Amino acid sequence: QLENETIKGQILSALEIADKPISISDIGKSDKDLAQYSNQKLTNLVTQLVKAHLVVRTEVKGKAYFALATTEE
């Protein structure tokens, strides 16, 4: 559980650095620590972040991309 929270922090950092929507595979490639995890594990954790409204999911031509959620509403 604690490890997953650490990974979620790394995912949020990767999305902040990317500054644009990126795919799960790009999230994994963006950080050497994240590269050790499967896309399935990263997808699961990113989905949790989406449900927590920290990350937004968009789809382009059937492929999912993720970006940090903005606090402006």
Side-chain angles (χ1 to χ4, degrees):
Q1 184 81 27
L2 185 59
E3 178 189 16
N4 284 347
E5 294 305 314
T6 302
I7 299 168
K8 286 180 189 178
Q10 292 171 318
I11 290 169
L12 291 172
S13 293
L15 291 172
E16 186 175 9
I17 290 167
D19 200 34
K20 65 176 182 170
I22 59 175
S23 67
I24 291 292
S25 58
D26 290 335
I27 291 171
K29 293 175 189 172
S30 69
D31 183 286
K32 65 180 173 74
D33 292 327
L34 292 175
Q36 66 183 313
Y37 303 110
S38 68
N39 283 353
Q40 184 176 357
K41 181 173 184 75
L42 293 176
T43 299
N44 185 4
L45 295 173
V46 169
T47 299
Q48 291 175 26
L49 292 169
V50 170
K51 289 180 180 176
H53 305 290
L54 297 172
V55 172
V56 292
R57 179 186 193 274
T58 56
E59 201 168 300
V60 178
K61 296 184 181 177
K63 184 167 183 174
Y65 293 89
F66 301 90
L68 288 179
T70 59
T71 53
E72 302 165 13
E73 291 190 13

